[in-house]
Structure formats: C-alpha cells, structure tokens
Amino acid sequence: QQQVKQSPQSLIVQKGGISIINCAYENTAFDYFPWYQQFPGKGPALLIAIRPDVSEKKEGRFTISFNKSAKQFSLHIMDSQPGDSATYFCAALGSGNTGKLIFGQGTTLQVKP
Amino acid sequence: EPEVTQTPSHQVTQMGQEVILRCVPISNHLYFYWYRQILGQKVEFLVSFYNNEISEKSEIFDDQFSVERPDGSNFTLKIRSTKLEDSAMYFCASSERDRVDYGYTFGSGTRLTVV
C-alpha cells in the first residue's frame, strides 16, 4: 500500500508548547521518512528526515520518533513558536529507486502567541 | 543556497488549452520531478525523470501530460488539453540522486487556474 496517513489535520498550540504530529505507513519497503514544512505560496521545504534503522533524530527543536514495528513516526516541535505556524507534511520515499515521495495529508499548525 | 526556479508563478488558462509549466532545476542535479497540490490537499507525485526518460509516473499522469528537458537547464511539464480539475499548484523538484538526502529541493510552484 503506497499510502502515508497523517494526523491531526490541524493543531493549535500555545507558544512554548510541544506540537506533535503523527504518521503511519503500511509499505515496509519505504526506507526514508522526511518531514516537510510548507508556508503559504511556497513549496515544501525539508525540515528533518530519518531512516528506519534509527529510533530518534533530533535537530534543534525538531525531533522525529520512529517506531519500525508499529510502522509509525512522529514529529515533535519543542518550544513551539509563532514562526513555526505552517503546514507540515510527513512523507516516505517510495520503493523502486525513482525518487518518488509519498506525502501524508498534511497538518496545519497554528502557534498562538 | 541553490534554488529550483519555476515560471510562471501563476497561470490562468481556458479549458481545453495547452499549457507549459517551466522549471530550472539546480544545476548539478540529475533527477527531476513534478508534483501537484490541489488547494488544501496533500502533495501528489506526478512523474520522475532521469537520463532523458520517465522513470516513474503516477496514474494522474495520463496521456494529457508530458515532460521534456529541451535543453541542459530547463525541465517542462506540458498539459495538452486542460480540464477544470487540473487547477492546482504544480511543484517541480530536483535532486542529485534518487534520494531525499541528496539535496532534493522543491521550487515555489506554479499556480494553474483553468477556467
């Protein structure tokens, strides 16, 4: 199954809080899981990514947690800031070595001051 | 930082007309992609292109769509006879290799409106 399911659809967090976005996949051939941030009128920009042989990756305030057995991964944004307000997409690199990315449905994050 | 450049940023076209969306990938990249995003929805893969041929295409990429790398710098998406449902943001992307971790970069998109 070439799908990635993402939740929640939207999220409102107070400044300084933790934002958590979850994704699940079915295809065990996926081997790379990036998160993208998208601002209105712009293309997706790579935020952070993880391979399935690693359970966690942290870059600054952004952390990916990966549970290979459950086929789930999540993005945690610590100390959320109003500038983090954007749409976040999880994705998976499809099998077949063609560079095809399969995106989740997206989460619109609003961080209130 | 190197960028993927897309033109035009917004195009309005009449139903049934042909449109060509243009992209200038990052200069040392070898893999090229088109994605689309219908307003408020997820980003969907259309096609990947390497070594002057399509390496994978989705079911969306039917006979109305074609891609071309007419010279050493441009990568184009042509829609032969546009339909209302083709209205979307179209994103071009490029990468050094078929891996996200090899500089896989998206352009800012072309908003296509079919009327």
Side-chain angles (χ1 to χ4, degrees), chain A residues 3-8 21-25 30 32-38 44-50 64-66 71-75 87-93 101-108, chain B residues 35 42-44 100 106:
Chain A
Q3 279 191 46
V4 177
K5 295 182 180 178
Q6 183 173 346
S7 62
I21 305 170
N22 301 298
C23 284
Y25 65 98
F30 293 154
Y32 203 78
F33 299 89
W35 283 90
Y36 285 88
Q37 181 187 57
Q38 185 181 34
L46 180 65
L47 191 61
I48 187 172
I50 197 167
I64 301 178
S65 298
F66 192 88
K71 290 185 277 187
Q72 295 175 346
F73 58 110
S74 59
L75 175 70
T87 300
Y88 293 81
F89 292 94
C90 62
L93 190 68
L101 279 171
I102 296 155
F103 284 83
Q105 293 89 338
T107 296
T108 301
Chain B
Y35 289 80
K42 68 178 178 180
V43 180
E44 299 176 289
V100 170
F106 284 83

Side-chain angles (χ1 to χ4, degrees), chain A residues 61-97:
Chain A
R61 296 186 292 111
F62 301 92
T63 301
I64 301 178
S65 298
F66 192 88
N67 185 329
K68 188 173 180 178
S69 61
K71 290 185 277 187
Q72 295 175 346
F73 58 110
S74 59
L75 175 70
H76 291 63
I77 306 175
M78 312 300 286
D79 187 27
S80 299
Q81 300 296 313
D84 297 331
S85 298
T87 300
Y88 293 81
F89 292 94
C90 62
L93 190 68
S95 55
N97 297 322

Side-chain angles (χ1 to χ4, degrees), chain B residues 39-92:
Chain B
L39 186 64
Q41 298 187 24
K42 68 178 178 180
V43 180
E44 299 176 289
F45 170 81
L46 290 178
V47 65
S48 58
F49 190 87
Y50 169 70
N51 200 25
N52 281 320
E53 59 183 31
I54 290 173
S55 42
E56 186 171 356
K57 61 183 180 180
S58 72
E59 60 273 11
I60 302 168
F61 194 90
D62 61 20
D63 291 344
Q64 292 300 310
F65 291 87
S66 62
V67 288
E68 192 177 34
R69 188 155 162 81
D71 53 43
S73 60
N74 290 285
F75 179 51
T76 62
L77 174 69
K78 182 193 291 187
I79 309 174
R80 287 191 185 82
S81 178
T82 50
K83 308 183 190 72
L84 293 176
E85 55 264 37
D86 293 327
S87 295
M89 280 289 280
Y90 288 81
F91 294 106
C92 173

Side-chain angles (χ1 to χ4, degrees), chain B residues 3-48:
Chain B
E3 288 185 345
V4 174
T5 305
Q6 289 187 245
T7 55
S9 57
H10 190 190
Q11 176 142 9
V12 181
T13 189
Q14 297 248 332
M15 190 169 55
Q17 294 296 303
E18 175 183 286
V19 294
I20 298 176
L21 309 184
R22 302 180 191 279
C23 170
V24 178
I26 293 172
S27 62
N28 64 332
H29 285 185
L30 301 176
Y31 292 79
F32 313 109
Y33 316 90
W34 284 101
Y35 289 80
R36 81 170 186 191
Q37 185 179 30
I38 294 171
L39 186 64
Q41 298 187 24
K42 68 178 178 180
V43 180
E44 299 176 289
F45 170 81
L46 290 178
V47 65
S48 58

Side-chain angles (χ1 to χ4, degrees), chain A residues 50-51 53-58 63-66:
Chain A
I50 197 167
R51 296 186 183 280
D53 54 351
V54 176
S55 61
E56 186 175 281
K57 183 173 181 181
K58 185 175 180 179
T63 301
I64 301 178
S65 298
F66 192 88

